[in-house]
Amino acid sequence: STLDRSSAASDVYKRQTLEVTANLLTHYKSKVQLLKEEKARILNLVNSLETQNKTLQTEVTQSKQQLSSIKVKANTLKETNVNLKKRNETLNQHIIKASQMQITMLDAKAVKRVGKNKVVTTDKAKRTNKLLVEFVIPKNDLITKGKKDIYIQIVNPNNNVVSKKDEAKFGKQSLIYSKKLDVNFNNKDLAVSTFIDADKDEPFKQGVYFVNVFNKENRLASTSILLD
């Protein structure tokens, strides 16, 4: 009958509708599951990136600290190097100074010869015909042994060199001297004494005489004599 056919058609439609709905539910459940899995994967990736980011931040902080420490050490080493350079320069200066000839006990006297081998000291200009210069070259292991040039320069009250012998040149420097001595230094205390004669045309006169002792261009010591 018509009613039965209508009822049967309705049942078929319901079954089809249910089948479509079930298929859709299955499909959406599958999609939801995929979305959940994708979400979980993304969350895991985010967590991994956060962990890596924290690790990188820690490494950056450590690197900054290490760099700061390196800079401090570098500055310390730089300061130490500067101080060592200064100390080395000072030490070199001391060595250079110590390796230069020195003299001690420089003394100068006005004398008058009264015999072939006898002189007497005086402080009177009119009685003086020589100046006696004495000094000691002390032992020094930094000085090479051998002959050394010693120059004695005596300057009178008129600022003229007494008994001018010659002029020695040392590069751009020159020295007018009264007497040159060739001493043989054997790294032992060496006592040196010598006489300086007055100029024939200019005898000793009243005033202060300055006595300078040189080794090459280096002035080793100075003293003075007052003649009345």
Side-chain angles (χ1 to χ4, degrees):
S1 69
T2 302
L3 183 59
D4 292 334
R5 286 196 298 273
S6 177
S7 177
S10 176
D11 291 339
V12 169
Y13 175 76
K14 287 179 179 180
R15 284 198 302 273
Q16 290 177 345
T17 300
L18 289 173
E19 289 177 357
V20 169
T21 301
N23 289 336
L24 285 174
L25 286 173
T26 301
H27 174 73
Y28 286 129
K29 284 181 179 180
S30 175
K31 289 290 185 181
V32 168
Q33 183 62 33
L34 289 174
L35 289 173
K36 286 182 179 180
E37 292 175 357
E38 180 68 14
K39 179 181 178 182
R41 188 183 68 80
I42 292 173
L43 287 175
N44 288 335
L45 179 60
V46 168
N47 290 333
S48 176
L49 290 174
E50 287 180 348
T51 301
Q52 292 181 18
N53 185 51
K54 289 180 180 179
T55 302
L56 288 174
Q57 287 179 347
T58 301
E59 291 176 352
V60 167
T61 301
Q62 291 175 346
S63 297
K64 286 182 177 179
Q65 292 174 347
Q66 291 174 355
L67 181 60
S68 177
S69 177
I70 290 171
K71 286 182 178 179
V72 171
K73 289 180 179 179
N75 289 332
T76 301
L77 288 173
K78 185 176 180 181
E79 291 177 1
T80 301
N81 186 53
V82 170
N83 291 333
L84 287 175
K85 185 177 180 181
K86 290 181 179 178
R87 288 177 61 185
N88 188 50
E89 290 175 351
T90 301
L91 181 60
N92 286 336
Q93 290 174 357
H94 287 319
I95 291 174
I96 291 172
K97 185 176 181 179
S99 63
Q100 293 176 348
M101 180 177 289
Q102 307 290 325
I103 68 170
T104 61
M105 301 173 65
L106 174 61
D107 187 27
K109 300 182 180 72
V111 298
K112 178 177 177 61
R113 186 179 291 276
V114 295
K116 186 176 180 180
N117 297 312
K118 183 179 180 181
V119 295
V120 293
T121 59
T122 180
D123 57 4
K124 302 298 182 182
K126 62 182 180 180
R127 296 188 61 197
T128 302
N129 55 26
K130 295 177 183 294
L131 296 180
L132 174 61
V133 179
E134 299 175 301
F135 55 88
V136 173
I137 302 175
K139 176 182 177 180
N140 189 335
D141 292 330
L142 296 178
I143 299 177
T144 56
K145 297 179 181 180
K147 288 187 177 182
K148 306 297 178 184
D149 293 333
I150 302 295
Y151 298 91
I152 298 175
Q153 180 194 67
I154 299 178
V155 181
N156 68 17
N158 294 331
N159 205 32
N160 295 322
V161 176
V162 173
S163 188
K164 175 183 174 183
K165 297 299 182 184
D166 204 347
E167 181 178 3
K169 293 186 179 295
F170 310 101
K172 294 182 179 180
Q173 299 184 48
S174 62
L175 172 68
I176 299 174
Y177 57 88
S178 302
K179 192 170 188 178
K180 177 183 177 182
L181 302 175
D182 294 325
V183 299
N184 190 23
F185 181 72
N186 290 318
N187 199 22
K188 297 178 181 179
D189 289 350
L190 177 63
V192 179
S193 64
T194 188
F195 291 102
I196 307 295
D197 296 323
D199 294 311
K200 292 180 180 180
D201 56 350
E202 189 176 357
F204 291 110
K205 57 187 176 182
Q206 292 180 337
V208 178
Y209 286 75
F210 293 96
V211 180
N212 303 305
V213 180
F214 293 83
N215 171 228
K216 297 183 179 180
E217 73 273 25
N218 300 314
R219 185 166 64 177
L220 306 181
S222 300
T223 189
S224 63
I225 304 172
L226 174 62
L227 297 181
D228 296 329

